[in-house]
Amino acid sequence: MRVKTLSKQFDGKKMSTTGVTMEMTKKGIGRIFATMLFAGLLAAALTMVGCAGNDASTESKASSASTEKTLHAGSTTYFYAESMDPASDWDSWYLSYYGIVENLCKVSDDLGPEPWLAKQVERQDDRTWIVTLNDGIKFSNGKSVDANAVKTAWERTYAENSRATEVLDYESLEADGNTLTITTKEALPSLENTLCDPLLCVYYVGDDVNYAKSTPGTGPYVMKEFKAEDHIVMVPNENYWNGTPKLSEVTLTCFADDNAITMAMQNGEIQAVAMPSASTLTTLEASGDYQVSQRTNSRADFIRMNMTHPLIQNDAIREAVAYCIDRNGYADTICKGSSTASWGVYSPTLPFGGTDGLDVTVSSCDVDAASKALEAAGIVDTDNDGVRELGGTPVELDLYTCTKYERFVQLADDLQSKLAQAGIKLNIVPTDYFMEDAETFAKDDPDMALDSYAMAPTGNPAYFANIAFASTSSNNFGKYSNPDVDALVAKLNTTFDESERNTIAKQISQKVLNDLPFVFFANSESTVVYDKNVSGLDAAPSEYYFVTVDTDVK
């Protein structure tokens, strides 16, 4: 296998692929030593206090210590916030997952919207919505939350994040006490779903806030210590409006690989794993020592094509790649049943997903079909070196994959082998970062990149279409453009009838399957593994929530 290893720069330092494991080991040793030292000092202190006759004070302190509840969870992919700024890139998603920020509405377990910070959301007409906030909500800094606070937060987010207008393109916001009036530029049937998007979370805006380091939110926990893409330590929000957080401290740690996080769980260094790999899940589940929460979500794993590259622009080459992906092998063997093979675009669990009613060209892994497609397009191996040429140029492609996704690394190896049989040379380029922004994609300029997205985290079929399928959308890194798709996306955004919306989503799916700017090959599930004394860490099908006010340790 030919590989080229890259490391992304963060604050002038390369991310270590072993640092987390070493750090966790050091922390584990440090904790043992500290515990022994503390135990000795505490015993001595209690003896002296007992001699002084201060039994009541001793009992009070011991009782306080016994009520301390801490949770330490780990993940190889889900705790990688780059900052504490909800308006920066995708950091609002992480802050929602951590339990630091909240939205006007939240996603229920059946992928529908329900009120959260909002008491109710009412549609006045096709473009006007009235949102009434709950009373008594405060930010973690003690400042009150009213409609103007929501308006101010959104205005800052829109100024900082280009994705915001794709999420909600409003014409005006009017605040009056606890009432927020939202007027959209076009009819927006999915506003309640849209209000669940973490990018529209509510946070405090003020001159005294260093957003990157610590932004006051309304969630049950607040940041105590934070190191970007490494770990975060949180404590209860003393001003939380919707109950009492049950934990005294929460630590969420990023792990470099699956072996490290599996060992940390087995050794008791952590008590939970968010979105474990198939190997970690299999190992931990087999022991019978842990609880597993698993729910079907809308996430899809896919290959993103760079439509600006001449070789990728060739229809037969993209079709050959699609034929050489062993989707069943990926789902059953690599993912060990935690994913299902996909031949369409959206997950079949969604009313607009699956392949029913679609004309699916690629419906099996077929290297011979890939070869025939290339032959028919005149892409042949003229010099008999095993690699076909297009217009005299060898068909050699670079596939970028983040090593934090163990499943992608294994798929890339298999795809490399199958494409070689079809006459395409595939170079695998492993990275230790996610290609989740246009700047990174443009800088690396890959032919193809493996990626994974929640396609409809609020049940709204327009979500992914708006951020990835439309020609000018923020996450259309590969520059796919089809005027028919653009028109269908615009129509979807203004259609209220649910049945018609599902039909339009199917039409978009057909166009994407025909053009193959993406190859969607699997749908996965939300999974959390945790100790038997942990509760309130249920897997959320939206993937927006992890730590909540109900998270507890017995």
Side-chain angles (χ1 to χ4, degrees):
M1 177 180 71
R2 177 184 171 189
V3 299
K4 295 185 285 186
T5 305
L6 302 182
S7 292
K8 187 176 182 181
Q9 297 290 324
F10 290 105
D11 299 326
K13 298 179 181 178
K14 288 185 179 179
M15 290 179 60
S16 169
T17 57
T18 58
V20 173
T21 306
M22 294 175 65
E23 182 178 354
M24 287 301 300
T25 303
K26 292 175 182 176
K27 286 181 179 178
I29 295 171
R31 275 199 296 270
I32 294 171
F33 178 76
T35 301
M36 293 171 64
L37 179 60
F38 176 75
L41 292 174
L42 179 60
L46 288 174
T47 301
M48 289 188 292
V49 171
C51 292
N54 194 2
D55 293 338
S57 175
T58 300
E59 290 179 7
S60 175
K61 290 179 180 178
S63 175
S64 175
S66 68
T67 60
E68 293 271 315
K69 293 183 178 182
T70 62
L71 173 71
H72 193 167
S75 182
T76 57
T77 54
Y78 272 56
F79 298 157
Y80 278 84
E82 294 186 12
S83 79
M84 290 287 103
D85 186 354
S88 176
D89 294 328
W90 289 87
D91 286 333
S92 59
W93 181 91
Y94 291 105
L95 298 184
S96 176
Y97 203 66
Y98 298 168
I100 291 176
V101 298
E102 298 173 327
N103 281 56
L104 296 179
C105 292
K106 72 181 302 184
V107 184
S108 65
D109 287 344
D110 61 359
L111 287 177
E114 60 184 29
W116 200 3
L117 295 178
K119 185 178 355 184
Q120 63 180 15
V121 180
E122 300 175 291
R123 180 165 67 93
Q124 196 171 64
D125 56 49
D126 288 357
R127 295 176 53 236
T128 308
W129 298 75
I130 309 297
V131 179
T132 305
L133 298 177
N134 283 298
D135 296 325
I137 303 174
K138 290 184 177 181
F139 291 112
S140 58
N141 61 2
K143 302 289 186 180
S144 296
V145 177
D146 58 11
N148 189 61
V150 178
K151 179 176 181 289
T152 303
W154 285 7
E155 288 172 343
R156 179 181 178 274
T157 296
Y158 277 69
E160 298 289 331
N161 197 311
S162 61
R163 192 162 49 89
T165 54
E166 298 170 351
V167 174
L168 173 60
D169 195 9
Y170 67 80
E171 182 176 285
S172 67
L173 300 173
E174 296 180 18
D176 181 13
N178 270 6
T179 301
L180 179 70
T181 302
I182 304 171
T183 302
T184 59
K185 291 183 179 179
E186 304 289 343
L188 185 61
S190 59
L191 182 100
E192 291 171 281
N193 303 76
T194 299
L195 294 179
C196 300
D197 193 300
L199 190 58
L200 297 181
C201 67
V202 180
Y203 59 94
Y204 178 75
V205 175
D207 295 335
D208 58 338
V209 179
N210 185 331
Y211 300 100
K213 291 186 176 181
S214 180
T215 303
T218 66
Y221 290 90
V222 298
M223 187 275 291
K224 174 185 176 183
E225 176 185 315
F226 171 68
K227 182 178 180 182
E229 299 178 310
D230 185 88
H231 74 277
I232 182 171
V233 180
M234 302 182 296
V235 294
N237 174 5
E238 296 179 355
N239 294 299
Y240 191 55
W241 66 281
N242 195 24
T244 302
K246 297 173 176 58
L247 301 173
S248 55
E249 188 171 278
V250 179
T251 300
L252 307 177
T253 300
C254 305
F255 281 78
D257 58 68
D258 297 300
N259 288 334
I261 200 168
T262 303
M263 290 178 61
M265 190 71 171
Q266 292 171 326
N267 294 338
E269 293 182 59
I270 59 176
Q271 300 143 281
V273 180
M275 293 298 286
S277 69
S279 62
T280 296
L281 176 61
T282 300
T283 300
L284 297 178
E285 195 171 23
S287 72
D289 296 330
Y290 309 101
Q291 302 179 82
V292 177
S293 176
Q294 203 162 38
R295 285 197 178 103
T296 301
N297 59 30
S298 68
R299 178 168 294 277
D301 292 344
F302 59 91
I303 287 180
R304 185 195 301 271
M305 303 288 186
N306 192 337
M307 301 299 286
T308 67
H309 287 194
L311 289 177
I312 295 297
Q313 289 172 353
N314 185 277
D315 295 344
I317 290 176
R318 298 197 306 282
E319 185 176 333
V321 172
Y323 268 121
C324 288
I325 299 173
D326 185 358
R327 306 173 204 220
N328 289 324
Y330 176 80
D332 299 335
T333 304
I334 294 177
C335 295
K336 296 179 171 63
S338 61
S339 290
T340 56
S342 172
W343 305 96
V345 174
Y346 291 99
S347 168
T349 60
L350 297 164
F352 46 87
T355 57
D356 288 347
L358 298 179
D359 181 11
V360 180
T361 300
V362 178
S363 58
S364 65
C365 178
D366 192 336
V367 176
D368 287 339
S371 298
K372 290 176 182 178
L374 295 169
E375 288 283 347
I379 303 173
V380 296
D381 180 10
T382 58
D383 55 8
N384 296 316
D385 67 347
V387 180
R388 299 173 184 268
E389 298 94 33
L390 174 62
T393 301
V395 182
E396 181 174 348
L397 306 174
D398 286 346
L399 173 66
Y400 280 55
T401 180
C402 181
T403 55
K404 291 180 177 62
Y405 282 122
E406 174 196 40
R407 63 190 193 272
F408 282 178
V409 175
Q410 295 180 52
L411 175 73
D413 288 343
D414 185 70
L415 180 59
Q416 184 182 54
S417 173
K418 288 181 169 57
L419 282 175
Q421 296 174 46
I424 293 178
K425 185 175 182 179
L426 183 68
N427 302 318
I428 301 171
V429 186
T431 68
D432 57 7
Y433 54 87
F434 303 106
M435 204 163 291
E436 58 185 15
D437 59 80
E439 182 180 0
T440 301
F441 193 91
K443 182 179 178 181
D444 289 343
D445 197 30
D447 293 311
M448 304 183 294
L450 280 160
D451 216 330
S452 181
Y453 272 66
M455 301 280 286
T458 65
N460 180 11
Y463 174 82
F464 194 78
N466 276 308
I467 68 171
F469 292 155
S471 297
T472 59
S473 56
S474 62
N475 282 38
N476 185 1
F477 306 147
K479 305 302 181 184
Y480 169 58
S481 182
N482 183 327
D484 292 338
V485 171
D486 291 344
L488 285 169
V489 172
K491 183 179 180 181
L492 179 61
N493 286 334
T494 58
T495 299
F496 280 81
D497 182 78
E498 184 175 355
S499 177
E500 188 177 355
R501 286 172 63 78
N502 292 340
T503 298
I504 297 170
K506 283 277 192 180
Q507 292 171 342
I508 293 172
S509 295
Q510 185 64 67
K511 296 287 184 183
V512 171
L513 285 176
N514 293 344
D515 296 341
L516 286 177
F518 304 84
V519 181
F520 300 92
F521 56 83
N523 300 117
S524 58
E525 295 184 330
S526 294
T527 305
V528 179
V529 180
Y530 47 95
D531 284 350
K532 291 184 177 180
N533 66 334
V534 175
S535 60
L537 276 186
D538 297 335
S542 65
E543 300 183 70
Y544 285 166
Y545 321 115
F546 181 63
V547 178
T548 71
V549 69
D550 296 320
T551 304
D552 198 4
V553 176
K554 296 178 183 177

